[in-house]
Amino acid sequence: MTERQGPPEVDRVAASRRAVAARRERASLKRDVTTRVITPQELLRRALADPASPAGAMRVTEFLTSIPAIGEGKRDRILHDLGISPVKRLGGLGARQRRALLDFLDRRWPEPRPRAGRSRLVVLAGPTAVGKGTVAAQVRKRHPEIHLSVSATTRPPRPGEVEGEHYFFVDDAEFDRLIASGELLEHATVHNRYRYGTPRKPIVRALEDGRTVLLEIDLQGARQVRAAEPSATLVFLLPPSWDELVQRLVGRGTEGEEERARRLRTAKVELAAQGEFDYRVVNDHVERAADEVVSLVT
Ligand SMILES: Nc1nc2c(ncn2[C@@H]2O[C@H](COP(=O)(O)OP(=O)(O)O)[C@@H](O)[C@H]2O)c(=O)[nH]1
Ligand SMILES: Nc1ncnc2c1ncn2[C@@H]1O[C@H](COP(=O)(O)OP(=O)(O)O)[C@@H](O)[C@H]1O
């Protein structure tokens, strides 16, 4: 018996493949909102710009429950209050419903607005493996006039890391001494593991010389710098998606599975704090992201 594959069946197979791919993309977008890689407003803007996109095809119910702290009960109350039917897809919202939903999101989760009166002390932070080191190195390559701070750390050097260039590698006793003598502008234990700190003197000197200073440090350090120097400019580097962040961490190959899991837990905490920063830059392409960082601070 011969099997005939008529065009309708071919179409069905293709349609079902497309449906699976679209479902996967919607799941990935939901993860991005849940992990706060993108704001709900950003997802909604994408849906409205292209109703046929995976974002546009997302049901308003799925959208709302992907937002941290919105469960099914709250979701239904919100939809009722905003006068939106639960069967609606984001791309199919009417003009009044879009406005109502965007206003609601802006009240609930205001997007960071740049502050006035920034200084040339710039902090670049962001989750593990987002590419902070790579982008900072690109900034230095393109703009040697920008002073890149070299931190002290109790972490052992990775292969290829150079003392005084990537870090000052010190033991616990020396780190204690640096803290006690006030030689660190800020310091923190990162990923519950090793200690890292920013030597104060080179920064003060570079700022006195009129140079822009870039610190590539973690969230705790960024908060300390803001407290010590409120006019500092805080930039948060974001991955294009949560899945891409995981890929970069795995692809770098410098941590085992347990350490990667630990870092991803910290990453969720850091992503949740991005609203404290003055600017957010997506590290999609290294050169573009480096240019954006420079344009924000010079
Ligand atoms: N607070 C603080 N964090 C730092 C400092 N230097 C590096 N870090 C952060 O420590 C974390 C771990 O750095 P590292 O061990 O080089 O790993 P990687 O960032 O995954 O390449 C990163 O989030 C860095 O931004 C510092 O001087 N102070
Ligand atoms: N824009 C990018 N696109 C693709 N891969 C990137 C990008 N930026 C960085 N990477 C890669 O991601 C991995 C993590 O980058 P790294 O600079 O070590 O991150 P971090 O300093 O934030 O921990 C590295 O393998 C790096 O080559």
Side-chain angles (χ1 to χ4, degrees):
M1 202 173 77
T2 47
E3 242 179 39
R4 283 198 310 126
Q5 280 217 328
E9 190 169 340
V10 173
D11 282 355
R12 265 202 303 281
V13 170
S16 115
R17 282 216 186 102
R18 275 200 304 274
V20 169
R23 246 200 322 275
R24 208 172 287 140
E25 279 201 56
R26 285 206 302 276
S28 165
L29 278 172
K30 272 167 42 185
R31 233 175 355 260
D32 291 345
V33 175
T34 305
T35 52
R36 297 178 157 100
V37 167
I38 60 173
T39 60
Q41 288 97 317
E42 174 62 26
L43 196 155
L44 185 56
R45 281 194 290 268
R46 288 188 202 173
L48 299 178
D50 182 4
S53 65
M58 191 180 285
R59 289 213 189 270
V60 69
T61 43
E62 302 184 83
F63 169 66
L64 283 176
T65 45
S66 68
I67 300 173
I70 298 187
E72 292 185 0
K74 226 183 228 174
R75 170 196 72 190
D76 294 343
R77 274 200 305 283
I78 294 165
L79 288 175
H80 176 266
D81 291 348
L82 300 180
I84 299 175
S85 155
V87 300
K88 276 275 185 192
R89 293 184 188 273
L90 291 183
L93 293 173
R96 210 163 40 82
Q97 294 172 324
R98 295 170 182 195
R99 194 66 263 147
L101 191 50
L102 270 173
D103 284 349
F104 164 77
L105 294 170
D106 282 342
R107 278 197 308 276
R108 171 172 200 99
W109 189 353
E111 290 181 298
R113 306 254 180 271
R115 295 168 314 116
R118 301 177 308 270
S119 79
R120 282 192 306 266
L121 182 57
V122 182
V123 170
L124 183 66
T128 185
V130 65
K132 299 180 294 295
T134 309
V135 169
Q138 186 67 25
V139 167
R140 186 171 53 178
K141 194 168 131 198
R142 294 183 165 210
H143 295 272
E145 75 280 8
I146 294 180
H147 175 86
L148 196 57
S149 165
V150 178
S151 300
T153 182
T154 58
R155 159 165 92 55
R158 291 179 187 146
E161 283 185 332
V162 177
E163 163 75 15
E165 187 182 326
H166 295 96
Y167 283 105
F168 295 106
F169 296 98
V170 300
D171 59 17
D172 268 309
E174 174 62 5
F175 203 93
D176 285 339
R177 193 197 65 75
L178 290 172
I179 297 173
S181 59
E183 287 176 55
L184 299 180
L185 176 68
E186 60 75 38
H187 62 91
T189 301
V190 184
H191 305 304
N192 293 321
R193 200 89 192 268
Y194 298 111
R195 293 192 287 171
Y196 297 79
T198 304
R200 188 192 298 273
K201 240 194 225 147
I203 289 175
V204 172
R205 215 176 297 131
L207 287 172
E208 280 171 0
D209 287 348
R211 295 174 72 186
T212 292
V213 172
L214 186 64
L215 311 184
E216 188 242 294
I217 60 178
D218 88 318
L219 172 65
Q220 308 167 72
R223 285 176 172 155
Q224 290 174 46
V225 170
R226 160 120 317 152
E229 189 47 71
S231 67
T233 304
L234 267 51
V235 181
F236 194 86
L237 203 58
L238 278 164
S241 69
W242 175 260
D243 292 355
E244 171 68 18
L245 183 71
V246 176
Q247 281 313 310
R248 285 186 191 171
L249 182 60
V250 173
R252 187 172 65 187
T254 43
E255 287 82 22
E257 206 173 320
E258 199 181 316
E259 181 60 26
R260 284 204 299 266
R262 183 206 295 274
R263 281 168 181 251
L264 288 174
R265 279 197 296 277
T266 311
K268 287 194 176 146
V269 175
E270 302 215 317
L271 283 161
Q274 62 183 271
E276 297 173 28
F277 285 69
D278 300 313
Y279 300 103
R280 290 173 301 165
V281 171
V282 177
N283 179 19
D284 42 10
H285 301 288
V286 177
E287 291 79 9
R288 198 210 60 75
D291 279 349
E292 190 177 342
V293 170
V294 170
S295 74
L296 291 173
V297 301
T298 49

